[in-house]
Amino acid sequence: MKNNKGQIRAGWLILLALVAMLVAQQIFSLPGAMLLFLYELPALTSSVEIDILQAYDGHPWLYVLTQGGAVVGSIVVTYIFWRFVNKGSLRSLGFRWSFADFAYGLFLGAASITVIFLLLLVTGNVSMDNSFGAPAFSAYTVAFLVMYILVGLSEEMFFRGYVMSTMQSRGNPKWAVYLVSAVVFSLAHGLNPNVSWLGLLNIVFVGVLFAYMFLETDSLWLPIGYHMTWNYFQGNVFGFAVSGTTPNGIYNVSIEGGNAWLTGGAFGLEGGLAATLLILIGFAATWVYGRKKRMSARPAVRMESVL
């Protein structure tokens, strides 16, 4: 279990953290699950069969309380492991605040999904059930904004912050840091509804993109911002499934008649080749941003050296 320096190997730490997260997710999701049970109790006593996912569809805030509670559990476990097992600070985990990184991530995630949507729309692979001038705002619009903020924060904190930083601290090569973080990220989505092999492969690709964003900026805020709007614009703006989960967009789209290789089918945009293309463009956009950021920092460094 230990390396030649007497340290617990990265793989064991990551595995232990994952197990602890799964346990914490179940515990932290209990309040929402219990409230759903109380709401649906009349139907249960009348011997009507209840579909849990459909039941949550009627209670968006209970869904957020349940799933959001699980996500908070993940955040708590990640912090505990990093602070008390790895002996690190939040800053060393990647929480080096940068408004520019966060804002660019938010923009890039939203822009990527918008471009995919427009490409599919103009090529006839999707159609809109309501017009741009008639958005269908609902409780889901706000509830899932909260949800995806938490998801973006939690998943980047663990899969990029904890997994990558733990591997780096144990001297693993960069290619392994990239690959392991992305593959573990994809496998975590392996039990999602309507999962497809292309969907899991695209999640590996976007996981590598998030890892590149993290290492390029030395901060988690760029991938956090991208992750938040990538999910939110998919499910709650344009109405696509998000990694197989039910969409509730302000616009409702139909993918019937579209090419599933492009739209991703029931899994959502992440299961289609259109997403693959925009993920690849994301690498170029991140490289350009990182280059400009380094160039803008050089004069300040030179000035400091003169002073």
Side-chain angles (χ1 to χ4, degrees), residues 262-276:
L262 294 174
T263 66
F267 189 67
L269 295 180
E270 291 166 353
L273 291 173
T276 310

Side-chain angles (χ1 to χ4, degrees), residues 54 101 122 130 178 201-202 228-229 232 283:
Q54 288 184 356
D101 289 355
V122 299
N130 57 322
Y178 271 100
L201 188 59
N202 271 342
M228 288 175 178
T229 50
Y232 187 73
F283 281 97

